[in-house]
Amino acid sequence: MSRVDQLRFIIDDIDKNIVRLFEKRMETAEKIAQYKLENNLGILNTSREEEVIESALNELYNKDYRDELEEFIKKLMEISRRVQQKRILGMGKKRIKIGFQGVEGSFGHQAAIEYFDKDAEFMEYMSFEDVFKGLLNGETDYGVLPIENSSTGSISSVYDLIGEYGFYIVGEKCLRIKQNLIGVKGASIKDIKEIYSHTQGFEQSSSFLKKHQEWKLIPYHNTAYSAKTVALSNDFTKAAIASEKAARLYNLDIIEKDINDNEHNYTRFVIISRKALEYIDTSKISVMFSIKHRAGELYKVLEGFHLNNVNMLKIESRPIKNRPWEYMFYIDFEGSLNDIDIVKSIEKIKNSSTYFKLLGNYTADKNAS
Ligand SMILES: C=C(O[C@@H]1C=C(C(=O)O)C=C[C@H]1O)C(=O)O
């Protein structure tokens, strides 16, 4: 072993000890952070830091290293303050709460889990409007709602609720939907008399259901809730249209798999919030507006997209309550508010509309266009 190798061997051993001591020191600092949080104390304590430096310098045999040691200890305390800060923020951070319609095993629940951190708290709501109410009264931080299915089209009630409640769209999640006919363990297709599902489940499986006109269709709040109801009934004559996950969760049999009419069956969910978020990495914009009931008004708006080379993704119109034959338009288009052409297109819509609201600028799900 060369001399330098020998010395490096010694350094490696010293570093191992330093790492062990470093870990110990940081863990102790975290315990102090806990105490500070409980006693409402600030992290920085200058007089204590001065003491720490002084006693460290007193420990030093080789006084030539005074400045270096001081620098080292100062840096160490800076790191320890950062660790404490992280710890306090982590402890203070409340779990975010997400509202969805239905029960565990519903597609809304799945979209919520896939979009948000698993540590979030997921809250079940009976109806779409209940999800909005939960957000309005502060029970939740975000709501997850289906807005469009690739086979059956827009979920108009959710559009209306977005208009009514005035929340923002801060994200989207596109989910592949596979519907299944599920029944109690041991039930066969011949036993069935009644089917429970959300109307979307029926609509998405309409060709399959046409072959069984004798079945009574009972619309329910949610596909997973239908599965749960069938499980509780323990009745061979009842079946549900729901996900494979719901079948597993409620201990039911899959009588017929993948009964949706279209193989490529997707539902797009929007993530709604009381506040708009900062526009970072955004690629899709949603707006809502109404226009004068006059020839060429919608054309003027759409011209703005063409002139500024903006790709429109979807347009939806919904009747305005109490104003017969007048409509609210909802448009989704590609872009970010950091882009000047996009801002110009939006200005054009604003100038041509009687009412305008920017619903959100968010990151598009790659499966949504
Ligand atoms: C660890 C503490 O928090 C901070 C960090 C210090 C350190 O790393 O030694 C000292 C004082 C505080 O500014 C403490 O208060 O003791």
Side-chain angles (χ1 to χ4, degrees), residues 25 32 36 43-45 48-49 77 80-81 84:
R25 198 182 195 289
I32 293 180
K36 287 177 176 169
I43 294 177
L44 176 69
N45 182 335
R48 167 70 185 155
E49 293 206 1
M77 290 193 293
S80 121
R81 270 186 266 118
Q84 291 179 67

Side-chain angles (χ1 to χ4, degrees), residues 274-320:
R274 287 184 297 275
K275 297 183 292 248
L277 298 183
E278 271 184 71
Y279 310 126
I280 303 166
D281 278 341
T282 52
S283 51
K284 187 166 176 176
I285 297 175
S286 298
V287 296
M288 66 185 277
F289 59 93
S290 57
I291 46 179
K292 285 201 190 93
H293 205 331
R294 222 168 46 188
E297 287 298 319
L298 185 59
Y299 171 78
K300 278 192 221 160
V301 169
L302 300 183
E303 188 191 27
F305 288 107
H306 167 60
L307 294 178
N308 296 302
N309 201 22
V310 173
N311 189 22
M312 213 175 89
L313 299 167
K314 182 171 196 287
I315 181 163
E316 181 69 34
S317 65
R318 294 290 308 148
I320 300 176

Side-chain angles (χ1 to χ4, degrees), residues 97-113 121-128 130-131 140 142-146 222 224 269:
K97 292 186 182 158
I98 321 295
F100 68 94
Q101 189 254 352
V103 288
E104 203 185 345
S106 66
F107 294 111
H109 185 217
Q110 199 180 328
I113 293 173
E121 190 177 331
F122 298 98
M123 297 174 65
E124 301 175 351
Y125 287 94
M126 200 62 140
S127 69
F128 293 148
D130 289 342
V131 176
T140 57
Y142 298 98
V144 175
L145 292 143
N222 174 257
F269 291 82

Side-chain angles (χ1 to χ4, degrees), residues 25-242:
R25 198 182 195 289
M26 292 304 145
E27 281 162 9
T28 313
E30 285 202 52
K31 286 184 191 144
I32 293 180
Q34 172 81 42
Y35 174 85
K36 287 177 176 169
L37 184 73
E38 284 163 10
N39 293 282
N40 229 353
L41 297 170
I43 294 177
L44 176 69
N45 182 335
T46 5
S47 58
R48 167 70 185 155
E49 293 206 1
E50 278 162 16
E51 268 170 40
V52 174
I53 294 168
E54 203 182 316
S55 60
L57 292 177
N58 287 339
E59 280 297 310
L60 196 64
Y61 295 126
N62 185 346
K63 300 294 178 198
D64 288 347
Y65 296 137
R66 274 187 72 90
D67 292 349
E68 289 75 15
L69 180 68
E70 186 170 341
E71 192 185 332
F72 176 69
I73 297 289
K74 276 185 177 161
K75 192 75 202 170
L76 196 57
M77 290 193 293
E78 184 194 316
I79 295 169
S80 121
R81 270 186 266 118
R82 235 180 18 236
V83 166
Q84 291 179 67
Q85 176 90 30
K86 216 160 79 184
R87 169 84 190 200
I88 286 177
L89 283 178
M91 288 186 295
K93 200 167 72 187
K94 62 174 180 59
R95 265 170 97 200
I96 57 164
K97 292 186 182 158
I98 321 295
F100 68 94
Q101 189 254 352
V103 288
E104 203 185 345
S106 66
F107 294 111
H109 185 217
Q110 199 180 328
I113 293 173
E114 288 187 23
Y115 187 85
F116 289 97
D117 200 289
K118 298 209 172 24
D119 287 341
E121 190 177 331
F122 298 98
M123 297 174 65
E124 301 175 351
Y125 287 94
M126 200 62 140
S127 69
F128 293 148
E129 182 153 20
D130 289 342
V131 176
F132 282 80
K133 284 183 181 156
L135 186 59
L136 183 72
N137 64 29
E139 260 168 38
T140 57
D141 302 296
Y142 298 98
V144 175
L145 292 143
I147 193 145
E148 181 185 6
N149 175 266
S150 59
S151 319
T152 60
S154 295
I155 298 159
S156 43
S157 58
V158 173
Y159 271 96
D160 293 343
L161 288 163
I162 289 177
E164 214 172 292
Y165 278 79
F167 295 143
Y168 294 93
I169 299 175
V170 294
E172 66 176 7
K173 177 77 206 165
C174 205
L175 211 68
R176 175 117 190 236
I177 305 287
K178 290 187 176 186
Q179 302 286 7
N180 306 275
L181 183 70
I182 63 184
V184 298
K185 288 242 174 264
S188 85
I189 203 150
K190 285 184 238 70
D191 300 316
I192 297 168
K193 291 199 171 76
E194 283 180 351
I195 313 277
Y196 294 75
S197 192
H198 189 273
T199 48
Q200 279 292 321
F202 293 139
E203 278 180 51
Q204 291 167 27
S205 319
S206 63
S207 308
F208 174 79
L209 290 173
K210 257 191 211 138
K211 290 185 251 160
H212 298 278
Q213 305 270 358
E214 70 283 9
W215 290 345
K216 188 172 169 200
L217 306 184
I218 302 170
Y220 240 50
H221 311 283
N222 174 257
T223 54
Y225 194 65
S226 311
K228 197 174 175 179
T229 307
V230 168
L232 287 172
S233 78
N234 203 22
D235 182 343
F236 273 42
T237 67
K238 293 185 182 3
I241 294 177

Side-chain angles (χ1 to χ4, degrees), residues 329-344:
F329 292 94
Y330 294 82
I331 293 188
D332 294 340
F333 51 98
E334 282 177 0
S336 160
L337 287 171
N338 300 319
D339 176 344
I340 187 71
D341 286 343
I342 295 293
V343 176
K344 277 193 214 154

